[in-house]
């Protein structure tokens, strides 16, 4: 019996290499987990079990013929439904794309597919990434496997929930303001928001193009490095993508890395009002553990934190209102019968978007519109420069910044239905990172009852190796 | 114009038809969010340069033909409303 709920990629690699399990057995174990959990959790929008088993059996044959088992080869996983997959329905959690079958593959899917990973299905998400709880999907709420009365975080909540219950050994989410880190924190996992451009966005359905990043959700830091080694790097189809040497796993396992000690900055602003005292205690204990390991803990200030959420949302919603203009029902997606052009577009968008997406489009259209752009959008872009300066200054003092990932424990489903602003403020610790472009990861810091608390490690541009290394030291 | 009028106006720009009930619900929510965003006014930003996105550089490549979607694939999202590899649309101008 394979316990896919706790099995890591690293362990599965060894079991496959030693012929302790076959890839078909491993894939079937994940499928069984999905079938027994889905009625309660609702992590998947679409499953691709036939394709998965077919590929698994091909991989078993290759292994028998001597194919090396390494990386994600033979590892079942899920993909957030924000990535286009040729011939497989891709919805972005929305009604407007409910029956959309793309004609091409996203870069991240292609890379994983070629590396031998096995797709189990596409995971649920807040429609177009608009949310922190996965309550804003056209396909229903996803529940947190640690406590099904609570949200799994979002917007990659389906990805977090699936990994937490064993519906695949990892998932690929998209992080625009915390969408990988929030589910990681709430579901007791590792979530990666890489440096902007480190993983190609080609074929990812955009939320806010200057924030969007592609990264894994895994059970361990080690597993996150294994996935990053496959997906990171320059791509001709994404002009914002950057080079990467892809030796993340190797780096964290070097003796020099294990003994490396860091200057860790702890920003006062992240421990003030709004934080749950129990969450605060867990993070303080984690800081203490780092101190005991010999790292230097330095109190720092990030004075513009107070303005980060407002600036994040002004720019993000401006971009999303612009990005979603392409959804007009003409070339793909929801269609309606009418003989009037204007009416057709309006009807498709009115029927196809969730209330939260409409709210965000309205605000973004407002903040970009003539007469208001100076007051909102242009101002927010200037604040974005201040946020960049603030982090740059901090990284002259310290190597890595440590904060809570989320200020609170996962809310009960429906808790913030009437107060979107309160839900948005839950992103305060994660969303200030995306406008700056720097990387951040969330890893479990401890737990309170059945619930998990995540800590966030933030570093300068392209410092993923150091973030993984520091995270690894906590997990070893 | 009131905020309600503004929001009704941008809804039209964004091609969204709001019911009276939706407008009723959205206005106070959006109002509280826009009010929250006013926090940016506390900052003196006169000396900060405006940049659209200082992280990006322009990238160009040689103008060579590369493999891409076939015409058939490109229009495959609309099975019912395409003719000869093109989308069939409603008339935009009057006869």
């Amino acid at each position: 019996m394979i316990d896919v709920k706790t099995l890591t990629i690293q362990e599965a690699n060894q079991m496959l290499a030693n012929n302790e399990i076959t890839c078909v057995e491993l894939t079937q174990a994940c499928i069984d987990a999905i079938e027994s959990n889905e009625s309660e959790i609702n992590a998947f929008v679409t499953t691709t079990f036939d394709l998965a088993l077919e590929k698994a059996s091909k991989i078993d044959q290759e292994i028998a013929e001597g194919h090396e088992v390494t990386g994600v080869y033979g590892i079942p996983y899920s993909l957030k439904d924000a990535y286009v997959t040729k011939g497989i329905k891709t919805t972005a959690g929305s009604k407007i794309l409910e029956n959309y079958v793309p004609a091409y593959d996203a870069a991240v899917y292609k890379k994983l597919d070629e590396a031998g990973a096995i797709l189990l299905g596409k995971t649920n998400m807040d429609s177009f990434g608009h949310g922190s709880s996965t309550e804003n999907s056209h396909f229903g709420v996803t529940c947190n496997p640690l406590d099904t009365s609570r949200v799994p975080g979002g917007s990659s909540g389906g990805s977090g929930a699936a990994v937490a219950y064993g519906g695949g050994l990892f998932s690929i989410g998209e992080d625009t303001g915390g969408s990988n880190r929030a589910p990681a924190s709430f579901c007791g996992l590792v979530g990666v928001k890489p440096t902007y451009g480190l993983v190609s966005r080609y074929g990812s359905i955009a939320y806010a193009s200057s924030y969007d990043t592609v990264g894994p959700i895994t059970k361990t830091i080690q597993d996150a490095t294994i996935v990053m080694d496959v997906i990171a790097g320059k791509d001709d189809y994404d002009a914002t993508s950057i080079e990467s040497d892809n030796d993340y796993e190797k780096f964290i396992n070097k003796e020099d890395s294990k003994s490396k000690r860091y200057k860790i900055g702890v920003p006062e602003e992240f421990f003030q009002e709004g934080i749950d005292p129990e969450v605060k205690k867990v993070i303080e204990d984690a800081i203490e553990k780092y101190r005991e390991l010999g790292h230097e803990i330095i109190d720092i200030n990030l004075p513009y934190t107070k303005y980060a959420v407002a600036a994040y949302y002004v720019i993000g919603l401006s971009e999303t209102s612009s990005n979603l203009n392409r959804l007009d029902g003409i070339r793909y997606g929801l269609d309606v019968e009418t003989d009037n052009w204007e009416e057709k577009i309006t009807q498709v968008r009115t029927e196809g978007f969730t209330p939260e997406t409409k709210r965000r489009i309205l605000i973004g259209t407002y903040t970009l519109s003539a007469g208001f752009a100076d007051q909102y959008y242009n101002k927010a872009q200037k604040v974005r420069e201040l946020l960049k300066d603030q982090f740059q200054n901090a990284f002259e003092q310290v190597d890595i910044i440590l904060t809570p990932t989320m200020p609170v424990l996962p809310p009960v489903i429906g808790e913030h239905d009437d107060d979107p602003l309160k839900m948005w403020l839950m992103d305060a610790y994660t969303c200030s990172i995306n406008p700056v472009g720097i990387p951040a990861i969330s890893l479990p810091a401890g737990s309170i009852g059945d619930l998990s608390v995540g800590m966030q490690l933030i570093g300068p541009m392209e410092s993923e190796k150091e973030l993984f290394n520091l995270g690894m030291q906590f997990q070893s | 114009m009131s905020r309600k009028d503004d929001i009704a106006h941008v809804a039209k720009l964004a091609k969204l038809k709001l019911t009276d009930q939706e407008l009723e619900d959205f206005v106070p929510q959006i109002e509280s969010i826009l009010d929250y965003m006013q926090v940016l006014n506390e900052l003196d930003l006169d000396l900060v340069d405006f940049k659209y996105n200082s992280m990006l550089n322009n990238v160009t490549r040689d103008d060579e033909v590369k493999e891409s979607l076939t015409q058939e694939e490109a229009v495959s999202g609309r099975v019912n409303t395409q003719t000869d590899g093109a989308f069939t649309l409603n008339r935009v101008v009057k006869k």
Side-chain angles (χ1 to χ4, degrees):
Chain A
M1 171 80 188
I2 310 164
D3 184 7
V4 283
K5 198 173 167 183
T6 57
L7 187 71
T8 64
I9 299 175
Q10 192 189 14
E11 291 161 353
N13 272 335
Q14 284 165 4
M15 291 167 86
L16 285 169
N18 299 337
N19 293 316
E20 288 167 49
I21 48 166
T22 65
C23 187
V24 169
E25 284 166 354
L26 175 61
T27 305
Q28 189 59 54
C30 292
I31 293 173
D32 293 346
I34 295 169
E35 283 178 336
S36 60
N37 281 284
E38 269 307 274
S39 60
E40 202 179 7
I41 304 294
N42 191 36
F44 284 83
V45 174
T46 303
T47 53
T48 52
F49 297 159
D50 290 348
L51 283 173
L53 287 168
E54 197 181 311
K55 186 165 182 191
S57 110
K58 198 176 129 239
I59 281 184
D60 278 332
Q61 211 173 331
E62 287 175 3
I63 293 175
E65 287 161 9
H67 196 293
E68 196 191 355
V69 181
T70 174
V72 297
Y73 185 74
I75 304 297
Y77 78 106
S78 63
L79 197 57
K80 184 177 186 176
D81 212 10
Y83 297 101
V84 298
T85 42
K86 189 174 179 175
I88 302 168
K89 209 169 66 167
T90 300
T91 69
S94 73
K95 183 179 177 188
I96 202 164
L97 295 178
E98 190 174 17
N99 296 308
Y100 171 53
V101 180
Y104 70 106
D105 287 329
V108 67
Y109 172 56
K110 208 168 175 188
K111 280 187 177 176
L112 288 165
D113 196 50
E114 284 167 2
I118 295 171
L119 182 72
L120 293 163
K122 311 286 293 286
T123 51
N124 199 17
M125 57 184 283
D126 287 299
S127 192
F128 295 105
H130 294 159
S132 326
S133 64
T134 319
E135 290 169 288
N136 297 312
S137 167
H138 175 60
F139 303 95
V141 180
T142 297
C143 303
N144 189 327
L146 303 183
D147 174 348
T148 53
S149 69
R150 292 172 189 266
V151 305
S155 65
S156 315
S159 290
V163 177
Y165 76 60
L169 304 193
F170 71 96
S171 189
I172 300 294
E174 184 176 31
D175 189 311
T176 302
S179 288
N180 280 350
R181 289 162 284 161
S185 179
F186 286 172
C187 298
L189 302 165
V190 172
V192 181
K193 182 264 166 224
T195 299
Y196 183 74
L198 186 62
V199 181
S200 170
R201 287 179 295 119
Y202 179 66
S204 79
I205 297 175
Y207 165 6
S209 308
S210 75
Y211 297 163
D212 290 342
T213 58
V214 181
I217 294 180
T218 57
K219 293 191 187 103
T220 61
I221 293 281
Q222 172 96 24
D223 280 4
T225 63
I226 294 173
V227 180
M228 285 301 289
D229 279 342
V230 177
I231 64 175
K234 186 86 190 145
D235 174 24
D236 285 347
Y237 291 95
D238 176 359
T240 64
S241 65
I242 57 175
E243 300 288 349
S244 163
D245 55 13
N246 292 22
D247 59 356
Y248 300 99
E249 189 190 5
K250 209 169 116 197
F251 182 84
I252 61 163
N253 288 302
K254 279 200 270 192
E255 285 312 314
D256 283 359
S257 304
K258 288 177 187 169
S259 58
K260 193 166 177 181
R261 294 295 174 261
Y262 294 90
K263 285 184 187 166
I264 302 175
V266 177
E268 193 190 348
E269 292 80 3
F270 284 62
F271 292 85
Q272 291 165 342
E273 55 178 321
I275 186 168
D276 179 322
E278 283 187 303
V279 170
K280 189 175 172 186
K281 175 76 175 52
V282 171
I283 302 301
E284 283 168 350
D285 289 349
I287 294 169
E288 210 37 54
K289 181 173 169 183
Y290 274 124
R291 200 194 302 273
E292 283 162 17
L293 286 171
H295 298 278
E296 190 183 347
I297 308 296
I298 300 168
D299 290 328
I300 60 164
N301 284 100
L302 294 172
Y304 293 112
T305 300
K306 182 182 166 191
Y307 307 99
V309 180
Y312 166 84
Y313 274 105
V314 170
I315 298 166
L317 302 194
S318 298
E319 289 186 13
T320 209
S321 72
S322 167
N323 279 331
L324 293 179
N325 278 343
R326 79 190 59 170
L327 291 168
D328 50 18
I330 290 169
R331 290 150 301 156
Y332 51 83
L334 188 67
D335 199 2
V336 293
E337 279 295 321
T338 158
D339 55 5
N340 181 298
W341 169 265
E342 178 100 11
E343 181 60 34
K344 180 192 176 88
I345 299 174
T346 305
Q347 213 174 314
V348 161
R349 292 168 62 82
T350 301
E351 277 178 35
F353 290 131
T354 61
E356 177 67 9
T357 293
K358 285 181 193 168
R359 223 168 4 233
R360 293 192 186 208
I361 291 174
L362 290 172
I363 297 169
T365 311
Y366 185 92
T367 53
L368 275 183
S369 62
F372 295 111
D374 267 345
Q375 201 183 332
Y376 292 97
Y377 182 75
N378 297 354
K379 217 167 253 181
Q381 285 288 24
K382 286 185 169 191
V383 175
R384 182 181 204 166
E385 296 304 316
L386 296 179
L387 291 173
K388 282 180 200 168
D389 291 347
Q390 146 184 298
F391 279 103
Q392 207 164 356
N393 292 339
F395 290 127
E396 279 166 17
Q397 270 181 280
V398 299
D399 303 313
I400 291 173
I401 296 170
L402 189 158
T403 75
T405 306
M406 304 302 282
V408 291
L409 290 168
V412 170
I413 291 165
E415 193 176 322
H416 295 322
D417 273 0
D418 300 322
D419 193 352
L421 183 59
K422 201 163 174 201
M423 180 66 100
W424 291 14
L425 291 174
M426 218 167 69
D427 293 345
Y429 299 164
T430 51
C431 75
S432 59
I433 307 306
N434 296 66
V436 182
I438 52 179
I441 62 173
S442 178
L443 67 150
S447 39
I448 298 169
D450 292 334
L451 301 173
S452 184
V453 174
M455 68 169 139
Q456 177 174 237
L457 302 177
I458 309 162
M461 294 298 257
E462 297 177 66
S463 64
E464 278 81 355
K465 280 179 196 162
E466 311 296 345
L467 298 181
F468 288 138
N469 189 37
L470 185 60
M472 186 72 175
Q473 291 185 16
F474 190 82
Q475 292 192 337
S476 318
Chain B
M1 277 211 295
S2 71
R3 274 267 172 83
K4 191 174 172 178
D5 294 337
D6 285 338
I7 291 163
H9 175 65
V10 294
K12 211 172 159 220
L13 293 178
K15 303 247 184 299
L16 292 171
K17 194 179 276 174
L18 301 183
T19 62
D20 290 344
Q21 185 57 50
E22 275 176 319
L23 197 59
E24 244 5 85
D25 292 343
F26 281 171
V27 168
Q29 290 169 347
I30 292 176
E31 210 152 40
S32 76
I33 289 162
L34 290 172
D35 288 344
Y36 175 76
M37 287 167 173
Q38 298 291 337
V39 69
L40 301 181
N41 290 330
E42 289 175 15
L43 292 165
D44 182 3
L45 297 168
D46 288 348
L47 294 174
V48 182
D49 281 340
F50 174 83
K51 293 174 188 160
Y52 272 107
N53 193 342
S54 58
M55 291 185 284
L56 299 182
N57 297 310
N58 232 355
V59 179
T60 56
R61 67 165 174 86
D62 294 335
D63 188 18
E64 296 159 3
V65 176
K66 288 193 175 180
E67 206 185 319
S68 62
L69 296 184
T70 62
Q71 187 162 6
E72 198 183 325
E73 284 169 333
V75 298
S76 62
R78 271 289 170 269
V79 184
N80 303 326
T81 53
Q82 49 154 303
T83 325
D84 301 330
F87 299 109
T88 313
L89 304 174
N90 300 122
R91 179 180 293 277
V92 181
V93 287
K94 283 181 183 154
K95 271 189 203 173

